[in-house]
Amino acid sequence: RERARAARAATMAARSTRVGGRNPELAGQAAWVATEKVNAELFTLTYGALVRQVLHDCEDRVFEANKKLDEMGHAMGCRLIEDFLAKTNARKCLSFKESAETVALVGFKMFLNLECSLENWNDDETRCDVRFEHLDPFVAFVEVPDRYKSGDDEQSKLKYCQVLCGAARGALESVGVRTECHFVKDALVGDPSEGFVMRLEFTENVEDEYPFED
Amino acid sequence: TVPARAASAVPLRPAGGSAYGDQVIIKKNAAMSAGLRCVGVIGPNNAPVHITTFGETENDANAYLHVLHCALDEVELRSAGGGGGASASSSTDQGNGNQTPPGNPGATSGHQTSSSQIQKDPFLGMVFPTEQAKVFAYKTNTRAVFLLVYDDSFVQQESDIKQVFAKIHDAYAEAMSNPFAAPNSRIDSAKFCAEMRGLCTD
């Protein structure tokens, strides 16, 4: 942990001298400090009850439940982006890389105090992996029973944190960026030592639609 | 040889007690768990949700079932009406100076409310002595009961036992916080089982 912190501090120092001076980590930290806090256990238990209820409503059909969680996340993301833009003075992002950094380093930090890092960018800079140090607000105390994590098919495994992916997707869509977002490494249903890694992939820009012909 | 611990002196294993042989592992800070034979967690509906056994009966969960059942009866007696008669007989039984009267204020103060399910102190003390074992009970406000079965030949300090109960209670709370856990069914959490197992070699 100490080493990761030191590395982050080094990149932060390097970044602040860049042209434009964008520093998402600092912005995230500042935003987190400024927001009102809620008890973390309350959040965790509420989220757990939510997932339980969704599974119950879908009668244990995991595929449907995953989809439902994603849709709920999407709806939340569309609303959170307004809150985010109002509270932070984020400038317009000029590239997908900036958008991803803003979502992951500022957004996740501000709302959930999640520490993460972006890695594994592809050459186009349209796809990256978001590695979380921990996902405690969602997964503390949680142990997924075997019936939701067995099966070779990825689709038959419960995507417990899908709401987070949906939120990222919804927020980006509201600002005109269509993305694909899912967890590639999920410690709850897979190997616990691998942690949580979310893949964020750019699909297309959403064209602004004008309601009338000019 | 057993390294002596400042807080409580653990007696050396009795010379004739070779039955337990090498199974009981005593490490430096293990005085509190020396002699622990079984941990039982009983859910609010009186069905066992978790049993871990140590020592000789390592893999036999049923070895202590009878003992646990009798202890449960005693716990119910105590919590139902202060259990005046029952508690008096069992707490004076042992010549062991470490035994404490049950923490139920109803019994000591003499006044009993008919529905006094609320106890100020969940630690009920020693509830059931048999020839080879002593059972300690701890009842939470959610009517879950934790039972510790200790071997008779070891002496325990009450504070040590309370510490063990505190650990069990914490682990139980965490296991219950799992959204997929139901209050009356078997505890499936691997973490909880590992922590229970760790109580003896702790």
Short mmCIF file of all heavy atoms in Angstrom, two decimals, chain A residues 45 48 52 55 141-143 145 148 158 160, chain B residues 174 177-181 188-192:
data_model
loop_
_atom_site.label_atom_id
_atom_site.label_comp_id
_atom_site.label_asym_id
_atom_site.label_seq_id
_atom_site.Cartn_x
_atom_site.Cartn_y
_atom_site.Cartn_z
N LEU A 45 -25.05 -2.61 4.05
CA LEU A 45 -26.19 -3.47 4.36
C LEU A 45 -27.37 -3.17 3.44
O LEU A 45 -28.08 -4.09 3.01
CB LEU A 45 -26.59 -3.30 5.83
CG LEU A 45 -25.55 -3.79 6.83
CD1 LEU A 45 -25.96 -3.46 8.25
CD2 LEU A 45 -25.34 -5.29 6.70
N GLY A 48 -26.63 -4.73 0.12
CA GLY A 48 -26.82 -6.17 0.21
C GLY A 48 -28.28 -6.55 0.16
O GLY A 48 -28.68 -7.49 -0.55
N ARG A 52 -30.19 -8.81 -2.68
CA ARG A 52 -31.03 -9.93 -2.27
C ARG A 52 -32.41 -9.82 -2.88
O ARG A 52 -33.00 -10.77 -3.37
CB ARG A 52 -31.20 -9.92 -0.75
CG ARG A 52 -30.29 -10.74 0.10
CD ARG A 52 -30.26 -12.20 -0.18
NE ARG A 52 -31.42 -12.97 0.17
CZ ARG A 52 -31.71 -13.43 1.37
NH1 ARG A 52 -30.97 -13.11 2.39
NH2 ARG A 52 -32.78 -14.16 1.57
N LEU A 55 -32.49 -10.46 -6.62
CA LEU A 55 -32.41 -11.90 -6.89
C LEU A 55 -33.74 -12.58 -6.60
O LEU A 55 -34.17 -13.46 -7.34
CB LEU A 55 -31.32 -12.54 -6.02
CG LEU A 55 -29.91 -12.44 -6.59
CD1 LEU A 55 -28.90 -12.82 -5.54
CD2 LEU A 55 -29.79 -13.32 -7.81
N PHE A 141 -18.31 -7.89 4.31
CA PHE A 141 -19.11 -8.95 4.93
C PHE A 141 -19.76 -9.89 3.92
O PHE A 141 -20.42 -10.85 4.32
CB PHE A 141 -20.27 -8.42 5.80
CG PHE A 141 -19.88 -7.34 6.75
CD1 PHE A 141 -20.63 -6.18 6.84
CD2 PHE A 141 -18.77 -7.46 7.55
CE1 PHE A 141 -20.29 -5.19 7.72
CE2 PHE A 141 -18.41 -6.46 8.43
CZ PHE A 141 -19.19 -5.32 8.51
N VAL A 142 -19.63 -9.64 2.62
CA VAL A 142 -20.41 -10.43 1.68
C VAL A 142 -19.68 -11.70 1.30
O VAL A 142 -18.50 -11.67 0.98
CB VAL A 142 -20.70 -9.61 0.40
CG1 VAL A 142 -21.43 -10.48 -0.60
CG2 VAL A 142 -21.52 -8.40 0.74
N GLU A 143 -20.39 -12.82 1.34
CA GLU A 143 -19.86 -14.05 0.77
C GLU A 143 -20.95 -14.62 -0.12
O GLU A 143 -22.02 -14.98 0.37
CB GLU A 143 -19.48 -15.03 1.87
CG GLU A 143 -18.32 -14.51 2.71
CD GLU A 143 -17.75 -15.54 3.65
OE1 GLU A 143 -17.82 -16.73 3.34
OE2 GLU A 143 -17.23 -15.14 4.69
N PRO A 145 -23.08 -17.13 -2.05
CA PRO A 145 -23.27 -18.58 -1.99
C PRO A 145 -22.93 -19.25 -3.31
O PRO A 145 -22.97 -18.64 -4.37
CB PRO A 145 -24.76 -18.75 -1.67
CG PRO A 145 -25.35 -17.42 -1.59
CD PRO A 145 -24.32 -16.39 -1.85
N TYR A 148 -24.71 -19.07 -6.81
CA TYR A 148 -24.64 -17.90 -7.68
C TYR A 148 -23.27 -17.73 -8.32
O TYR A 148 -23.05 -16.79 -9.06
CB TYR A 148 -24.97 -16.62 -6.90
CG TYR A 148 -26.35 -16.60 -6.32
CD1 TYR A 148 -26.56 -16.29 -4.99
CD2 TYR A 148 -27.45 -16.88 -7.11
CE1 TYR A 148 -27.83 -16.28 -4.45
CE2 TYR A 148 -28.72 -16.87 -6.58
CZ TYR A 148 -28.91 -16.57 -5.25
OH TYR A 148 -30.16 -16.55 -4.72
N LEU A 158 -23.14 -14.34 -10.43
CA LEU A 158 -23.76 -13.10 -9.97
C LEU A 158 -22.76 -11.95 -10.07
O LEU A 158 -21.64 -12.05 -9.59
CB LEU A 158 -24.20 -13.27 -8.51
CG LEU A 158 -24.84 -12.04 -7.87
CD1 LEU A 158 -26.15 -11.73 -8.54
CD2 LEU A 158 -25.04 -12.28 -6.39
N TYR A 160 -22.17 -8.97 -8.54
CA TYR A 160 -22.66 -8.29 -7.34
C TYR A 160 -22.55 -6.77 -7.45
O TYR A 160 -23.43 -6.04 -7.03
CB TYR A 160 -21.88 -8.80 -6.12
CG TYR A 160 -22.46 -8.39 -4.80
CD1 TYR A 160 -23.48 -9.11 -4.22
CD2 TYR A 160 -21.99 -7.26 -4.14
CE1 TYR A 160 -24.01 -8.73 -3.00
CE2 TYR A 160 -22.52 -6.88 -2.93
CZ TYR A 160 -23.53 -7.62 -2.37
OH TYR A 160 -24.05 -7.24 -1.16
N GLU B 174 -20.37 -10.37 12.04
CA GLU B 174 -19.91 -10.23 10.66
C GLU B 174 -20.58 -11.25 9.76
O GLU B 174 -21.00 -10.95 8.65
CB GLU B 174 -18.39 -10.42 10.61
CG GLU B 174 -17.64 -9.15 10.85
CD GLU B 174 -16.20 -9.25 10.41
OE1 GLU B 174 -15.93 -10.01 9.46
OE2 GLU B 174 -15.38 -8.55 11.01
N SER B 177 -23.94 -10.24 8.92
CA SER B 177 -24.07 -9.07 8.05
C SER B 177 -24.03 -9.46 6.58
O SER B 177 -24.31 -8.64 5.72
CB SER B 177 -22.92 -8.09 8.30
OG SER B 177 -22.94 -7.68 9.64
N ASN B 178 -23.67 -10.69 6.30
CA ASN B 178 -23.68 -11.15 4.92
C ASN B 178 -25.12 -11.14 4.42
O ASN B 178 -25.99 -11.78 5.01
CB ASN B 178 -23.11 -12.58 4.88
CG ASN B 178 -23.04 -13.13 3.47
OD1 ASN B 178 -23.30 -12.43 2.51
ND2 ASN B 178 -22.69 -14.40 3.36
N PRO B 179 -25.39 -10.43 3.32
CA PRO B 179 -26.78 -10.36 2.87
C PRO B 179 -27.36 -11.71 2.49
O PRO B 179 -28.57 -11.88 2.49
CB PRO B 179 -26.72 -9.43 1.66
CG PRO B 179 -25.30 -9.37 1.26
CD PRO B 179 -24.50 -9.62 2.47
N PHE B 180 -26.49 -12.69 2.20
CA PHE B 180 -27.01 -13.99 1.82
C PHE B 180 -27.18 -14.94 2.99
O PHE B 180 -27.45 -16.11 2.80
CB PHE B 180 -26.07 -14.63 0.79
CG PHE B 180 -25.97 -13.85 -0.50
CD1 PHE B 180 -24.84 -13.10 -0.79
CD2 PHE B 180 -27.03 -13.83 -1.39
CE1 PHE B 180 -24.76 -12.37 -1.96
CE2 PHE B 180 -26.96 -13.10 -2.56
CZ PHE B 180 -25.82 -12.38 -2.85
N ALA B 181 -26.98 -14.45 4.21
CA ALA B 181 -27.11 -15.33 5.37
C ALA B 181 -28.51 -15.20 5.96
O ALA B 181 -29.02 -14.11 6.12
CB ALA B 181 -26.06 -14.95 6.42
N ASP B 188 -22.78 -20.54 6.63
CA ASP B 188 -21.99 -21.10 5.55
C ASP B 188 -20.69 -20.35 5.32
O ASP B 188 -19.93 -20.70 4.44
CB ASP B 188 -22.80 -21.04 4.24
CG ASP B 188 -23.66 -22.28 4.11
OD1 ASP B 188 -23.23 -23.32 4.63
OD2 ASP B 188 -24.74 -22.19 3.52
N SER B 189 -20.48 -19.33 6.09
CA SER B 189 -19.35 -18.46 5.80
C SER B 189 -18.03 -19.16 6.12
O SER B 189 -17.80 -19.60 7.25
CB SER B 189 -19.49 -17.19 6.64
OG SER B 189 -18.23 -16.61 6.85
N ALA B 190 -17.16 -19.24 5.13
CA ALA B 190 -15.87 -19.89 5.34
C ALA B 190 -15.04 -19.10 6.33
O ALA B 190 -14.28 -19.66 7.13
CB ALA B 190 -15.14 -19.99 4.00
N LYS B 191 -15.21 -17.79 6.29
CA LYS B 191 -14.43 -16.94 7.19
C LYS B 191 -14.80 -17.23 8.64
O LYS B 191 -13.95 -17.30 9.52
CB LYS B 191 -14.73 -15.48 6.85
CG LYS B 191 -13.90 -14.52 7.59
CD LYS B 191 -13.97 -13.11 7.00
CE LYS B 191 -13.22 -12.17 7.91
NZ LYS B 191 -13.92 -10.95 8.20
N PHE B 192 -16.10 -17.40 8.89
CA PHE B 192 -16.55 -17.67 10.25
C PHE B 192 -15.99 -18.99 10.74
O PHE B 192 -15.49 -19.11 11.85
CB PHE B 192 -18.08 -17.69 10.29
CG PHE B 192 -18.65 -17.89 11.65
CD1 PHE B 192 -18.71 -16.84 12.55
CD2 PHE B 192 -19.13 -19.12 12.05
CE1 PHE B 192 -19.24 -17.01 13.81
CE2 PHE B 192 -19.66 -19.30 13.31
CZ PHE B 192 -19.71 -18.25 14.20
#
